[in-house]
């Protein structure tokens, strides 16, 4: 290792590995790029203005021209493209077979992934194979100055990251020790994607010149470089047979104006009556968090969250839902959220506009009565 | 068919939680522990596959002395025996260090299948099973909602696996065996322990393994072998952003309806 962490003027490389859906870069991938820009700004602030920081996007798949062009309009140092028929369908074996040698050869400081199911499927194994650090599901970080710890142990770049633990009941502050690449996955909704809007085609920068920083002059013509794909190492380790709808979706909760959603706190299928009465009084649909579905209290078509439906009604009433991040990603876009929970520290209150702490078996019937009274 | 199931004991997050004095984790005194939710489903899936193929389940867990309760529970449900990675050198590891230790313990026997839960309810890395697979050089699938052995009886050569994806779509794929499958909660309905099972569990073996038994240097294990370090944990600010509406049920409900009509204007 010729380079030293923390040395002023050291050049750094941040990779962002966007995920595509029908050939387009997904929203959470743009958020991940926003996280990389924010990270670059922090590293630049701590390392001194002489430091050069390159943000590069790494695309994997087959037939990537459109996505590569889309990325090339953003302010990036380069777009690295592994475009190969062997990468037509995602498999961990193929993806790791491209990324592990690339990380070993190029030694980026951080590789940022959107925290999606696909990322969780292959990135831990990529870390194991490539011998990197692994930092899953971050929601933010603080710059070194604000993060100086009480103990004197050097911690690489001094960044302190936040990530949810215990299903979001606690926030952990973590750091990564030692030198070498770290793979990071970025939880959706943590970094606003609009800061990565396409850059205006102003003064063109020469291709290949390192971008001097996160807020550097936009490059109108970003270099698109091919990343080598060796089909003998980028081999599928599963035979993808097809895709199927998880449920015959009979209930479209995305169209509902009001949703009354229940969580594990309701206590059982036999205790859903008052919830149904509240939904009836409001003309609302009933939704549920995953534990309710897994327990068989409500059918899977009513599940809201990362593996269910994503909804944004004008009113969302969450009763007995603690607010695990997997649920929050499916409903936090609702216009007005009401949370009813016995635990005042439940994470659901952090996204709610109105909160009621108490026993839902008392509060829900009281709410139904109050609504009926207001309706006259 | 010989199946290993890795389980983790986690705090019951429904309990009253207090932070430890050093602020790095929970105060574990009086803290109730349970078997991690998706691991219960993994164990049930393992027991079903073993029953169908005339095999057995060996259950593995890493953690302190209290982990024996989780292992004993798995034995009561039908696992044949247990392996406990109990040494303090294993403690405090990130997913890479924990996966390294478990893989070394698993590699001492010839398993056809290793099952884990998809994610722990405490650290939530969702990574340990895939790291194990990487060490063993086996294929893996994360977030498994269905397993069909091929052929369904006798000694299977492969498995048809349904993996959950976002937005209600599943991927169906085939992996060769041996493999690591990381099971999602909801794949089955876990059984309850019978009185007979609980009695039998008392006689079943819980083998204790140390880093030395696995030929592993303690420096690559646990907190010492981890690049990830937790500095502190904190509760999210209570009701941050939310207007908390106080009062008895009737008063609070009326106040809420008033706000929804007059302030938020959604009713």
């Amino acid at each position: 290792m010729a380079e030293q962490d923390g040395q002023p003027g050291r050049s750094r490389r941040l990779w962002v590995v966007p995920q595509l859906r029908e050939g387009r870069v997904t929203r959470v991938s743009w958020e991940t790029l926003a996280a990389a820009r924010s990270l670059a700004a922090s590293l630049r602030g701590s390392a001194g203005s002489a430091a050069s920081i390159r943000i590069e996007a790494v695309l994997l798949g087959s037939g990537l021209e459109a996505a590569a062009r889309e990325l090339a309009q953003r302010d990036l140092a380069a777009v690295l493209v592994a475009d190969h028929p062997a990468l037509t369908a995602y498999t961990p074996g193929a993806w790791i077979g491209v990324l592990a040698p690339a990380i070993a050869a190029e030694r980026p400081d951080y590789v940022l992934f959107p925290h999606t199911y696909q990322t969780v499927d292959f990135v831990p194994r990529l870390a194991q194979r490539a011998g990197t650090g692994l930092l899953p599901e971050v929601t933010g970080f603080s710059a070194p100055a604000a993060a100086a710890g009480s103990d004197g142990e050097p911690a690489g770049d001094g960044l302190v990251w936040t990530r949810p633990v215990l299903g979001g009941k606690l926030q952990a502050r973590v750091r990564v020790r030692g030198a070498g690449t770290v793979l990071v996955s970025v939880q959706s909704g943590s970094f606003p994607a609009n800061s990565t809007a396409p850059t205006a085609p102003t003064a063109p920068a020469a291709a290949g010149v390192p971008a001097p920083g996160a807020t550097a002059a936009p490059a109108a013509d970003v270099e698109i470089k091919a990343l080598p794909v060796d089909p003998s190492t980028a081999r599928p380790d599963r035979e993808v047979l097809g895709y199927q709808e998880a449920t015959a979706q009979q209930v479209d909760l995305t169209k509902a104006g009001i949703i009354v959603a229940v969580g594990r706190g309701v206590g059982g299928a036999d205790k859903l009556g008052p919830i149904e009465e509240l939904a009836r009084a409001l003309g609302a649909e009933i939704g549920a968090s995953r534990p309710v579905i897994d327990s068989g209290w409500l059918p899977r078509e009513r599940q809201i969250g990362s593996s269910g439906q994503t909804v944004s009604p004008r009113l969302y009433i969450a009763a007995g839902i603690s607010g695990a991040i997997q649920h929050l990603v499916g409903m936090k876009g609702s216009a007005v959220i009401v949370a009813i929970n016995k635990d005042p520290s439940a994470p659901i209150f952090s996204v709610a506009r109105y909160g009621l702490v108490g026993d839902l078996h008392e509060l829900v019937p009281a709410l139904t009565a109050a609504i009926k009274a207001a309706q006259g | 068919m010989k199946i290993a199931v890795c389980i983790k004991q986690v705090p019951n997050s429904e309990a009253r939680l207090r932070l430890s004095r050093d602020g790095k984790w929970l105060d574990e005194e009086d803290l109730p522990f349970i078997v991690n939710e998706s691991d219960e489903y993994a164990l049930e899936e393992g027991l079903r596959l073993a029953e169908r193929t005339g095999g057995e389940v060996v259950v593995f867990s890493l953690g302190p002395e209290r982990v024996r309760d989780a292992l004993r529970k798995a034995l009561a449900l039908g696992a044949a025996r247990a392996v406990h990675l109990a040494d303090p050198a294993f403690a405090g590891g990130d997913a890479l260090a924990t996966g390294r230790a478990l893989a070394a313990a698993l590699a001492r026997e010839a398993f056809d299948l290793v099952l884990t839960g998809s994610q722990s309810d405490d650290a939530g890395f969702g990574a340990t099973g895939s790291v194990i697979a990487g060490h063993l050089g086996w294929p893996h699938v994360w977030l498994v909602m269905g397993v069909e052995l091929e052929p369904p009886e006798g000694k299977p050569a492969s498995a048809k696996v349904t993996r959950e994806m976002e937005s209600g779509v599943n991927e169906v794929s085939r992996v060769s065996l041996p493999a690591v499958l990381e099971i999602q909660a909801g794949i089955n309905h876990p059984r309850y322990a019978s009185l007979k099972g609980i009695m039998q569990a008392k006689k079943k073996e819980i083998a204790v393994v140390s880093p030395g038994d696995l030929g592993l240097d303690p420096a690559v294990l646990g907190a010492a072998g981890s690049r990830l370090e937790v500095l502190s944990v904190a509760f999210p600010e209570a009701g941050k952003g939310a207007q908390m509406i106080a009062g008895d049920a009737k008063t609070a409900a009326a106040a809420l309806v008033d706000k929804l009509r007059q302030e938020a204007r959604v009713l």
Side-chain angles (χ1 to χ4, degrees), chain A residues 117 121 125 163 166 169 171 173 175 177 180-181 238-239 241-242 244 246 290 307 314 353-355, chain B residues 13 122-123 138 140 142 164 166 168 170 172 174 184-185 223 226-227 229 231-232 234 243 245 263 266:
Chain A
Y117 288 2
D121 190 45
R125 187 171 187 153
R163 62 183 302 276
L166 278 180
K169 289 210 168 180
Q171 283 290 325
R173 294 168 65 248
R175 68 178 172 190
R177 299 183 295 195
T181 303
R238 64 177 71 140
E239 180 194 348
L241 302 171
Q244 55 180 219
R290 174 153 201 140
S307 47
R314 70 175 193 275
R353 176 148 170 201
Y354 302 112
Chain B
S13 65
D122 53 359
W138 299 354
H140 80 274
W142 185 73
E164 192 172 298
E166 275 105 349
N170 287 337
V172 182
R174 176 175 290 128
Q184 166 73 313
S226 297
R227 288 186 66 191
E229 181 192 13
L231 298 172
S232 65
Q243 273 186 50
I245 299 172
E263 195 176 271
V266 289

Short mmCIF file of all heavy atoms in Angstrom, two decimals, chain A residues 117 121 125 163 166 169 171 173 175 177 180-181 238-239 241-242 244 246 290 307 314 353-355, chain B residues 13 122-123 138 140 142 164 166 168 170 172 174 184-185 223 226-227 229 231-232 234 243 245 263 266:
data_model
loop_
_atom_site.label_atom_id
_atom_site.label_comp_id
_atom_site.label_asym_id
_atom_site.label_seq_id
_atom_site.Cartn_x
_atom_site.Cartn_y
_atom_site.Cartn_z
N TYR A 117 -32.97 -5.29 -2.14
CA TYR A 117 -32.88 -6.73 -1.93
C TYR A 117 -31.75 -7.33 -2.76
O TYR A 117 -31.09 -8.27 -2.33
CB TYR A 117 -34.21 -7.41 -2.29
CG TYR A 117 -35.33 -7.16 -1.30
CD1 TYR A 117 -35.14 -6.34 -0.19
CD2 TYR A 117 -36.57 -7.74 -1.48
CE1 TYR A 117 -36.18 -6.12 0.71
CE2 TYR A 117 -37.61 -7.53 -0.58
CZ TYR A 117 -37.41 -6.71 0.51
OH TYR A 117 -38.43 -6.50 1.40
N ASP A 121 -28.51 -9.33 -1.41
CA ASP A 121 -28.28 -10.67 -1.93
C ASP A 121 -26.80 -10.90 -2.27
O ASP A 121 -26.27 -11.97 -2.01
CB ASP A 121 -29.17 -10.89 -3.17
CG ASP A 121 -29.18 -12.33 -3.65
OD1 ASP A 121 -29.30 -13.24 -2.81
OD2 ASP A 121 -29.06 -12.55 -4.87
N ARG A 125 -21.38 -11.02 0.11
CA ARG A 125 -20.48 -12.04 -0.43
C ARG A 125 -19.36 -11.40 -1.24
O ARG A 125 -18.23 -11.90 -1.27
CB ARG A 125 -21.29 -13.02 -1.29
CG ARG A 125 -20.46 -14.18 -1.74
CD ARG A 125 -21.32 -15.24 -2.40
NE ARG A 125 -20.50 -16.40 -2.67
CZ ARG A 125 -20.97 -17.62 -2.76
NH1 ARG A 125 -22.25 -17.85 -2.60
NH2 ARG A 125 -20.16 -18.62 -3.02
N ARG A 163 -26.83 4.00 11.24
CA ARG A 163 -27.65 2.95 10.64
C ARG A 163 -28.64 2.47 11.70
O ARG A 163 -28.36 2.52 12.89
CB ARG A 163 -26.80 1.79 10.10
CG ARG A 163 -25.97 1.06 11.16
CD ARG A 163 -25.10 -0.02 10.52
NE ARG A 163 -25.88 -0.99 9.78
CZ ARG A 163 -26.47 -2.06 10.31
NH1 ARG A 163 -26.35 -2.32 11.58
NH2 ARG A 163 -27.17 -2.89 9.56
N LEU A 166 -32.14 -2.95 15.69
CA LEU A 166 -33.39 -3.38 16.34
C LEU A 166 -34.60 -2.86 15.58
O LEU A 166 -35.53 -2.32 16.16
CB LEU A 166 -33.44 -2.88 17.79
CG LEU A 166 -32.69 -3.71 18.84
CD1 LEU A 166 -32.86 -3.07 20.20
CD2 LEU A 166 -33.19 -5.15 18.88
N LYS A 169 -35.62 0.71 16.18
CA LYS A 169 -35.89 1.18 17.54
C LYS A 169 -34.70 1.95 18.09
O LYS A 169 -34.84 2.76 19.00
CB LYS A 169 -36.23 0.01 18.46
CG LYS A 169 -37.59 -0.58 18.14
CD LYS A 169 -38.26 -1.17 19.35
CE LYS A 169 -39.71 -1.47 19.01
NZ LYS A 169 -40.45 -2.05 20.10
N GLN A 171 -30.85 3.91 16.84
CA GLN A 171 -29.92 4.34 15.80
C GLN A 171 -28.52 4.04 16.31
O GLN A 171 -28.19 4.45 17.42
CB GLN A 171 -30.05 5.84 15.56
CG GLN A 171 -31.27 6.25 14.76
CD GLN A 171 -31.17 5.83 13.32
OE1 GLN A 171 -30.09 5.82 12.75
NE2 GLN A 171 -32.30 5.45 12.74
N ARG A 173 -24.39 4.56 15.87
CA ARG A 173 -23.31 5.31 15.24
C ARG A 173 -22.14 4.35 15.11
O ARG A 173 -21.70 3.77 16.10
CB ARG A 173 -22.92 6.54 16.08
CG ARG A 173 -24.02 7.60 16.16
CD ARG A 173 -23.71 8.63 17.24
NE ARG A 173 -22.54 9.43 16.95
CZ ARG A 173 -21.40 9.37 17.65
NH1 ARG A 173 -21.29 8.57 18.67
NH2 ARG A 173 -20.38 10.14 17.32
N ARG A 175 -18.29 3.22 13.02
CA ARG A 175 -17.18 3.65 12.17
C ARG A 175 -16.51 2.41 11.59
O ARG A 175 -16.71 1.29 12.07
CB ARG A 175 -16.19 4.49 12.94
CG ARG A 175 -15.42 3.73 13.99
CD ARG A 175 -14.41 4.63 14.69
NE ARG A 175 -13.82 3.95 15.83
CZ ARG A 175 -13.05 4.56 16.72
NH1 ARG A 175 -12.82 5.84 16.62
NH2 ARG A 175 -12.52 3.88 17.73
N ARG A 177 -12.93 0.73 10.82
CA ARG A 177 -11.50 0.81 11.17
C ARG A 177 -10.64 0.26 10.04
O ARG A 177 -11.12 -0.50 9.21
CB ARG A 177 -11.24 -0.02 12.43
CG ARG A 177 -12.01 0.49 13.64
CD ARG A 177 -11.67 -0.30 14.86
NE ARG A 177 -12.09 -1.69 14.76
CZ ARG A 177 -12.16 -2.52 15.79
NH1 ARG A 177 -11.80 -2.10 16.98
NH2 ARG A 177 -12.55 -3.76 15.63
N GLY A 180 -8.38 0.24 3.37
CA GLY A 180 -8.91 -0.60 2.30
C GLY A 180 -10.36 -0.28 1.99
O GLY A 180 -11.06 0.39 2.76
N THR A 181 -10.80 -0.77 0.85
CA THR A 181 -12.13 -0.48 0.33
C THR A 181 -13.22 -0.86 1.33
O THR A 181 -13.11 -1.87 2.02
CB THR A 181 -12.34 -1.26 -0.98
OG1 THR A 181 -11.30 -0.90 -1.89
CG2 THR A 181 -13.69 -0.96 -1.61
N ARG A 238 -26.56 -19.27 -9.99
CA ARG A 238 -27.92 -19.82 -9.92
C ARG A 238 -28.50 -19.73 -11.32
O ARG A 238 -28.13 -18.84 -12.08
CB ARG A 238 -28.77 -19.06 -8.89
CG ARG A 238 -29.03 -17.61 -9.21
CD ARG A 238 -29.94 -16.92 -8.19
NE ARG A 238 -29.31 -16.71 -6.90
CZ ARG A 238 -29.45 -15.61 -6.15
NH1 ARG A 238 -30.22 -14.61 -6.58
NH2 ARG A 238 -28.86 -15.49 -5.00
N GLU A 239 -29.38 -20.68 -11.62
CA GLU A 239 -30.01 -20.69 -12.93
C GLU A 239 -31.38 -20.00 -12.78
O GLU A 239 -32.27 -20.54 -12.13
CB GLU A 239 -30.18 -22.14 -13.40
CG GLU A 239 -30.82 -22.29 -14.76
CD GLU A 239 -31.27 -23.74 -15.02
OE1 GLU A 239 -30.88 -24.65 -14.26
OE2 GLU A 239 -32.03 -23.93 -15.98
N LEU A 241 -34.86 -19.15 -13.48
CA LEU A 241 -35.90 -19.85 -14.26
C LEU A 241 -37.03 -18.91 -14.64
O LEU A 241 -37.73 -19.15 -15.63
CB LEU A 241 -36.47 -21.02 -13.44
CG LEU A 241 -35.44 -22.07 -12.99
CD1 LEU A 241 -36.07 -23.06 -12.02
CD2 LEU A 241 -34.85 -22.80 -14.18
N GLY A 242 -37.23 -17.85 -13.87
CA GLY A 242 -38.28 -16.91 -14.23
C GLY A 242 -38.70 -16.06 -13.05
O GLY A 242 -38.14 -16.15 -11.97
N GLN A 244 -42.23 -14.35 -11.01
CA GLN A 244 -43.67 -14.49 -10.85
C GLN A 244 -44.19 -13.46 -9.86
O GLN A 244 -43.47 -13.01 -8.98
CB GLN A 244 -44.02 -15.91 -10.38
CG GLN A 244 -43.29 -16.30 -9.11
CD GLN A 244 -43.62 -17.70 -8.62
OE1 GLN A 244 -43.75 -17.93 -7.43
NE2 GLN A 244 -43.76 -18.63 -9.54
N ALA A 246 -45.79 -12.29 -6.67
CA ALA A 246 -45.82 -12.95 -5.37
C ALA A 246 -47.24 -13.25 -4.94
O ALA A 246 -47.53 -14.26 -4.32
CB ALA A 246 -45.13 -12.07 -4.33
N ARG A 290 -45.72 -6.22 7.84
CA ARG A 290 -45.36 -7.60 7.51
C ARG A 290 -45.69 -8.63 8.60
O ARG A 290 -46.19 -9.72 8.27
CB ARG A 290 -43.88 -7.64 7.16
CG ARG A 290 -43.40 -9.03 6.96
CD ARG A 290 -42.22 -9.16 6.05
NE ARG A 290 -42.26 -10.54 5.60
CZ ARG A 290 -42.00 -10.94 4.40
NH1 ARG A 290 -41.67 -10.06 3.49
NH2 ARG A 290 -42.06 -12.20 4.08
N SER A 307 -41.57 -5.19 0.82
CA SER A 307 -41.95 -6.37 0.05
C SER A 307 -43.45 -6.41 -0.23
O SER A 307 -43.96 -7.39 -0.73
CB SER A 307 -41.50 -7.64 0.78
OG SER A 307 -41.85 -7.59 2.14
N ARG A 314 -53.82 10.29 1.29
CA ARG A 314 -53.82 11.60 1.95
C ARG A 314 -53.83 11.44 3.47
O ARG A 314 -53.36 12.30 4.20
CB ARG A 314 -54.98 12.47 1.47
CG ARG A 314 -56.36 12.02 1.90
CD ARG A 314 -57.42 13.04 1.46
NE ARG A 314 -58.70 12.80 2.11
CZ ARG A 314 -59.62 11.95 1.68
NH1 ARG A 314 -59.41 11.26 0.56
NH2 ARG A 314 -60.75 11.77 2.34
N ARG A 353 -47.24 12.83 11.57
CA ARG A 353 -47.55 14.23 11.86
C ARG A 353 -48.25 14.32 13.21
O ARG A 353 -48.05 15.26 13.96
CB ARG A 353 -48.43 14.78 10.74
CG ARG A 353 -48.89 16.20 11.00
CD ARG A 353 -49.05 16.97 9.72
NE ARG A 353 -49.71 18.24 9.94
CZ ARG A 353 -50.32 18.93 8.98
NH1 ARG A 353 -50.34 18.46 7.75
NH2 ARG A 353 -50.89 20.09 9.25
N TYR A 354 -49.11 13.33 13.49
CA TYR A 354 -49.80 13.30 14.78
C TYR A 354 -49.54 11.98 15.47
O TYR A 354 -49.57 10.92 14.81
CB TYR A 354 -51.31 13.47 14.58
CG TYR A 354 -51.68 14.76 13.88
CD1 TYR A 354 -52.21 14.73 12.59
CD2 TYR A 354 -51.49 15.99 14.49
CE1 TYR A 354 -52.53 15.90 11.92
CE2 TYR A 354 -51.81 17.17 13.84
CZ TYR A 354 -52.34 17.12 12.55
OH TYR A 354 -52.66 18.29 11.89
N GLY A 355 -49.29 12.02 16.76
CA GLY A 355 -49.02 10.81 17.49
C GLY A 355 -49.92 10.66 18.71
O GLY A 355 -50.18 11.65 19.42
N SER B 13 -37.39 -7.12 21.31
CA SER B 13 -37.48 -5.65 21.20
C SER B 13 -38.83 -5.13 21.68
O SER B 13 -39.04 -3.93 21.75
CB SER B 13 -37.20 -5.21 19.77
OG SER B 13 -38.20 -5.70 18.91
N ASP B 122 -31.65 -7.67 15.47
CA ASP B 122 -30.89 -6.65 16.20
C ASP B 122 -29.92 -5.89 15.28
O ASP B 122 -30.17 -4.76 14.92
CB ASP B 122 -30.21 -7.22 17.46
CG ASP B 122 -29.37 -8.45 17.21
OD1 ASP B 122 -29.29 -8.93 16.06
OD2 ASP B 122 -28.76 -8.95 18.19
N ALA B 123 -28.83 -6.55 14.85
CA ALA B 123 -27.86 -5.83 14.01
C ALA B 123 -28.42 -5.57 12.61
O ALA B 123 -28.14 -4.55 11.99
CB ALA B 123 -26.55 -6.60 13.92
N TRP B 138 -20.08 -22.23 -1.84
CA TRP B 138 -21.37 -22.76 -2.28
C TRP B 138 -22.24 -21.63 -2.81
O TRP B 138 -22.09 -20.49 -2.39
CB TRP B 138 -22.12 -23.40 -1.11
CG TRP B 138 -21.45 -24.55 -0.45
CD1 TRP B 138 -20.29 -25.19 -0.82
CD2 TRP B 138 -21.89 -25.20 0.75
NE1 TRP B 138 -20.00 -26.20 0.06
CE2 TRP B 138 -20.97 -26.23 1.03
CE3 TRP B 138 -22.98 -25.01 1.60
CZ2 TRP B 138 -21.10 -27.06 2.13
CZ3 TRP B 138 -23.12 -25.85 2.69
CH2 TRP B 138 -22.19 -26.87 2.96
N HIS B 140 -25.63 -19.36 -2.89
CA HIS B 140 -26.54 -18.93 -1.83
C HIS B 140 -27.70 -18.18 -2.44
O HIS B 140 -27.59 -17.67 -3.57
CB HIS B 140 -25.81 -18.03 -0.82
CG HIS B 140 -25.69 -16.61 -1.31
ND1 HIS B 140 -24.67 -16.19 -2.10
CD2 HIS B 140 -26.50 -15.53 -1.15
CE1 HIS B 140 -24.82 -14.92 -2.41
NE2 HIS B 140 -25.94 -14.48 -1.85
N TRP B 142 -30.61 -15.23 -0.94
CA TRP B 142 -31.09 -14.45 0.19
C TRP B 142 -32.58 -14.17 0.03
O TRP B 142 -33.06 -13.93 -1.07
CB TRP B 142 -30.33 -13.11 0.27
CG TRP B 142 -30.67 -12.29 1.48
CD1 TRP B 142 -30.30 -12.54 2.76
CD2 TRP B 142 -31.45 -11.10 1.52
NE1 TRP B 142 -30.80 -11.57 3.59
CE2 TRP B 142 -31.51 -10.68 2.88
CE3 TRP B 142 -32.11 -10.34 0.53
CZ2 TRP B 142 -32.20 -9.53 3.27
CZ3 TRP B 142 -32.80 -9.21 0.94
CH2 TRP B 142 -32.84 -8.81 2.29
N GLU B 164 -37.70 -13.57 -2.77
CA GLU B 164 -38.56 -12.39 -2.79
C GLU B 164 -37.78 -11.20 -3.35
O GLU B 164 -36.63 -10.97 -3.01
CB GLU B 164 -38.99 -12.10 -1.35
CG GLU B 164 -40.09 -11.09 -1.23
CD GLU B 164 -40.57 -11.02 0.22
OE1 GLU B 164 -41.07 -12.03 0.73
OE2 GLU B 164 -40.42 -9.95 0.82
N GLU B 166 -38.37 -6.85 -4.62
CA GLU B 166 -39.21 -5.72 -4.25
C GLU B 166 -40.50 -5.73 -5.06
O GLU B 166 -40.58 -6.33 -6.11
CB GLU B 166 -38.45 -4.40 -4.48
CG GLU B 166 -37.55 -4.02 -3.31
CD GLU B 166 -36.08 -4.26 -3.59
OE1 GLU B 166 -35.79 -4.92 -4.61
OE2 GLU B 166 -35.25 -3.80 -2.80
N GLY B 168 -43.48 -7.03 -4.74
CA GLY B 168 -44.35 -8.18 -4.91
C GLY B 168 -43.99 -9.10 -6.07
O GLY B 168 -44.85 -9.81 -6.58
N ASN B 170 -41.44 -12.27 -7.33
CA ASN B 170 -40.50 -13.29 -6.87
C ASN B 170 -39.66 -13.79 -8.03
O ASN B 170 -40.14 -13.87 -9.16
CB ASN B 170 -41.25 -14.48 -6.27
CG ASN B 170 -41.86 -14.14 -4.92
OD1 ASN B 170 -41.40 -13.23 -4.23
ND2 ASN B 170 -42.88 -14.87 -4.54
N VAL B 172 -37.65 -17.10 -9.40
CA VAL B 172 -37.50 -18.53 -9.20
C VAL B 172 -36.20 -18.95 -9.87
O VAL B 172 -35.96 -18.63 -11.03
CB VAL B 172 -38.69 -19.31 -9.80
CG1 VAL B 172 -38.53 -20.80 -9.53
CG2 VAL B 172 -40.00 -18.80 -9.23
N ARG B 174 -32.72 -22.03 -9.80
CA ARG B 174 -32.24 -23.34 -9.39
C ARG B 174 -30.80 -23.19 -8.93
O ARG B 174 -29.99 -22.57 -9.61
CB ARG B 174 -32.33 -24.32 -10.56
CG ARG B 174 -31.76 -25.71 -10.25
CD ARG B 174 -31.98 -26.66 -11.42
NE ARG B 174 -33.41 -26.99 -11.57
CZ ARG B 174 -34.09 -26.87 -12.70
NH1 ARG B 174 -33.52 -26.42 -13.78
NH2 ARG B 174 -35.37 -27.20 -12.74
N GLN B 184 -36.67 -16.24 4.57
CA GLN B 184 -37.47 -15.08 4.94
C GLN B 184 -38.61 -15.50 5.88
O GLN B 184 -39.18 -16.59 5.72
CB GLN B 184 -38.03 -14.46 3.64
CG GLN B 184 -39.15 -13.45 3.83
CD GLN B 184 -38.68 -12.12 4.38
OE1 GLN B 184 -37.93 -12.08 5.36
NE2 GLN B 184 -39.12 -11.04 3.79
N ALA B 185 -38.91 -14.64 6.84
CA ALA B 185 -40.05 -14.89 7.72
C ALA B 185 -41.32 -15.02 6.89
O ALA B 185 -41.51 -14.29 5.93
CB ALA B 185 -40.18 -13.75 8.73
N ALA B 223 -14.90 -8.89 17.79
CA ALA B 223 -14.64 -7.45 17.66
C ALA B 223 -13.24 -7.19 17.12
O ALA B 223 -13.03 -6.29 16.30
CB ALA B 223 -14.83 -6.77 19.02
N SER B 226 -13.00 -7.39 13.31
CA SER B 226 -14.04 -6.66 12.58
C SER B 226 -13.59 -5.25 12.27
O SER B 226 -13.05 -4.56 13.13
CB SER B 226 -15.32 -6.59 13.42
OG SER B 226 -15.83 -7.87 13.64
N ARG B 227 -13.88 -4.80 11.05
CA ARG B 227 -13.58 -3.41 10.72
C ARG B 227 -14.71 -2.49 11.19
O ARG B 227 -14.49 -1.31 11.42
CB ARG B 227 -13.36 -3.26 9.21
CG ARG B 227 -12.04 -3.88 8.75
CD ARG B 227 -11.75 -3.61 7.30
NE ARG B 227 -11.52 -2.19 7.05
CZ ARG B 227 -11.47 -1.66 5.83
NH1 ARG B 227 -11.64 -2.42 4.76
NH2 ARG B 227 -11.24 -0.38 5.67
N GLU B 229 -17.19 -0.98 13.78
CA GLU B 229 -17.23 -0.80 15.23
C GLU B 229 -18.39 0.11 15.61
O GLU B 229 -18.55 1.20 15.05
CB GLU B 229 -15.91 -0.16 15.70
CG GLU B 229 -15.86 0.02 17.20
CD GLU B 229 -14.70 0.90 17.65
OE1 GLU B 229 -14.08 1.57 16.80
OE2 GLU B 229 -14.44 0.93 18.86
N LEU B 231 -19.96 2.73 17.88
CA LEU B 231 -19.50 3.73 18.85
C LEU B 231 -20.55 3.99 19.91
O LEU B 231 -20.23 4.17 21.08
CB LEU B 231 -19.16 5.04 18.12
CG LEU B 231 -18.05 4.95 17.08
CD1 LEU B 231 -17.96 6.25 16.30
CD2 LEU B 231 -16.72 4.63 17.74
N SER B 232 -21.81 4.04 19.48
CA SER B 232 -22.89 4.30 20.44
C SER B 232 -24.22 3.97 19.77
O SER B 232 -24.31 3.88 18.55
CB SER B 232 -22.90 5.77 20.88
OG SER B 232 -23.20 6.61 19.78
N ALA B 234 -28.56 5.03 20.18
CA ALA B 234 -29.46 6.00 20.81
C ALA B 234 -30.87 5.73 20.33
O ALA B 234 -31.08 5.22 19.23
CB ALA B 234 -29.03 7.42 20.43
N GLN B 243 -46.69 15.79 16.24
CA GLN B 243 -47.41 16.45 17.34
C GLN B 243 -48.01 15.37 18.20
O GLN B 243 -48.86 14.61 17.74
CB GLN B 243 -48.59 17.26 16.77
CG GLN B 243 -48.29 18.66 16.34
CD GLN B 243 -49.59 19.35 15.96
OE1 GLN B 243 -50.58 19.33 16.71
NE2 GLN B 243 -49.59 19.95 14.78
N ILE B 245 -50.46 13.97 20.85
CA ILE B 245 -51.77 14.39 21.37
C ILE B 245 -52.04 13.63 22.65
O ILE B 245 -52.13 12.40 22.64
CB ILE B 245 -52.86 14.15 20.32
CG1 ILE B 245 -52.53 14.98 19.06
CG2 ILE B 245 -54.24 14.50 20.88
CD1 ILE B 245 -53.41 14.70 17.89
N GLU B 263 -56.83 21.42 10.74
CA GLU B 263 -55.42 21.76 10.51
C GLU B 263 -54.89 21.05 9.26
O GLU B 263 -54.39 21.67 8.34
CB GLU B 263 -54.63 21.33 11.76
CG GLU B 263 -53.23 21.90 11.86
CD GLU B 263 -52.60 21.46 13.19
OE1 GLU B 263 -52.76 22.16 14.19
OE2 GLU B 263 -51.94 20.39 13.19
N VAL B 266 -57.78 16.78 6.01
CA VAL B 266 -57.85 15.53 5.23
C VAL B 266 -59.16 14.78 5.48
O VAL B 266 -59.39 13.75 4.87
CB VAL B 266 -56.66 14.59 5.54
CG1 VAL B 266 -55.38 15.15 4.95
CG2 VAL B 266 -56.50 14.36 7.03
#
